[in-house]
Amino acid sequence: MPATSVIGAQWGDEGKGKIIDLIADRADVVVRFQGGANAGHTVIVDGQKSVFHLLPSGVLHPGKLNVIGNGVVVDPTVLLEEIDQFESRGLELRNRLLLSGAAHCVMPYHRTLDALKEGEKAGVKIGTTGRGIGPAYADKANRCGVRLWDLVDEERLRVRLAANVADVNRLITALYDAPPLDADALYETARAQGRRLAPMVTDTGRTLRGLLAEGKHLFFEGAQGVLLDLDHGTYPFVTSSNADSLGIAAGTGVPPTAVGHQIGVAKAYCTRVGAGPFPSELHDEVGERLRAGGGEFGATTGRPRRCGWFDVPAARYAAQLCGFSGLAITKLDVLSGMEEIGLVVGYDVDGLGRVDEYPVDTPLVERARPVIETYPGWSEDIRDVRSYDDLPSTCRSFVDEICRRVGVPWELLSVGPARESTIIRSVA
Ligand code: GDP
Ligand code: IMO
Ligand code: MG
């Protein structure tokens, strides 16, 4: 059976966790393929809120296998905390969670380096989540990372850590005048973590290819979103992994042809956390209204999210890049009660006239002034609506307009944070 992917179509926090949880009952396996504990995926079931940073958002479904693929950077401290929290609720996990041995570890020095770099007076401030993501992926590319296979092999771990901590200490003392780290203490902690994680560490690429061959349905859960993608986002204001569907094959070890169905998740408006261009951003009370109404505060860092109107050219760019087959449009309920709703349909860059294409090059995106069309809103509370036909006509028109302009039909409409607050058309 062709696999399904769920990808953020904007700047992250689109509601991917809710959508994965909702449709995970149709999956046999849920797989994370990139990112790390920078992700914060919120799932609300029976009034209980769970926020997942590393665990795939399918874990609330008993009996489903969950996999953390090789493209993820795993902070063992966060992962073990998350496993403990989850199991303390009486839910079984250990026998249905597999970790790729080829996934790289986020070590305490990666967090240190992240914080020191962000704190540089002269440097570009990305507004990272502080989770050590950039430095961990940098070590991966620089071929000095510690993989989970190293973490669970005490001798390999000792050698790798000794070399890395010596390098890091030279760097942080000379460049940042920071105190050196204690390699022995880091080793002891990491060794204990490795012992706990060892039973779950395996060659998950082989496992996943085997499951595909058996006809099992795999779901790939994206973290962040297309416009935060390292290659295709607003570089350098991006995360350090391929946060679009292009990262799936490399980040899990399945062939690119495995994924047949791609769901792009987009809010009915836009948000962004951290620095970087955001053409549809609203700096007025409408932006405040979206932030308050949507509870737009980071699930990982608690930072207020910047808010703006739905950006059609940016979403169309995301859809074309990933080949979305359907959209999940979330948080429509947040727009209830607004007299008028804006849609960014194009931009004017440097006063040269309207363009309808997303300009891609970051300075151009920075200088893009949005061309906004307004649509009539609706006053009804739509949180209990469960069919498209029961939505107010202005809400239906707004959804249709987004889909027509982005060029992708909707599959799911979300009208509240809970699992059941959803309108489903069809999901393969
Ligand atoms: P993710 O990172 O893409 O999984 O998204 P986050 O969990 O960071 O942020 C989405 C937030 O919106 C969470 O607090 C969700 O509970 C909430 N949410 C998801 N869908 C809806 C919706 O349709 N309506 C409302 N009001 N909240 C939603
Ligand atoms: P989910 O999966 C929103 C942003 C950070 C920062 C940039 C780089 O919940 O959608 P990093 O810590 O990755 O080096 O930070 O990326 N960012 C996110 N924004 N949602 C996320 O994840 C994010 N993960 C990282 O705010 O601007
Ligand atoms: Mg999030």
Side-chain angles (χ1 to χ4, degrees), residues 22-45:
L22 177 76
I23 57 181
D25 59 341
R26 300 153 199 240
D28 296 299
V29 191
V30 182
V31 190
R32 277 277 308 267
F33 60 91
Q34 47 71 233
N38 49 350
H41 295 180
T42 314
V43 174
I44 299 179
V45 180

Side-chain angles (χ1 to χ4, degrees), residues 7-16 34 38-41 126-127 129 222-230 232-239 243-244 264-282 296-301 303-319 324 330 344 346-347 357-362 364-368 370:
I7 304 289
Q10 296 163 326
W11 280 274
D13 302 326
E14 297 90 349
K16 300 175 290 292
Q34 47 71 233
N38 49 350
H41 295 180
I126 309 294
T129 58
Q224 293 82 53
V226 174
L227 295 155
L228 288 172
D229 179 271
L230 178 60
H232 304 284
T234 53
Y235 190 91
F237 304 101
V238 290
T239 191
D244 49 35
V265 188
K267 280 178 193 169
Y269 49 96
C270 273
T271 62
R272 171 165 205 161
V273 208
F278 183 16
S280 75
E281 183 168 13
L282 292 161
E296 297 297 355
F297 297 89
T300 299
T301 58
R303 290 178 292 177
R305 296 174 181 153
R306 299 154 67 192
C307 297
W309 294 128
F310 188 98
D311 187 326
V312 169
R316 197 168 50 231
Y317 168 70
F324 291 147
T330 61
V344 172
Y347 317 104
E357 292 300 312
Y358 177 74
V360 182
D361 186 21
T362 302
L364 297 183
V365 184
E366 262 160 9
R367 303 205 300 272

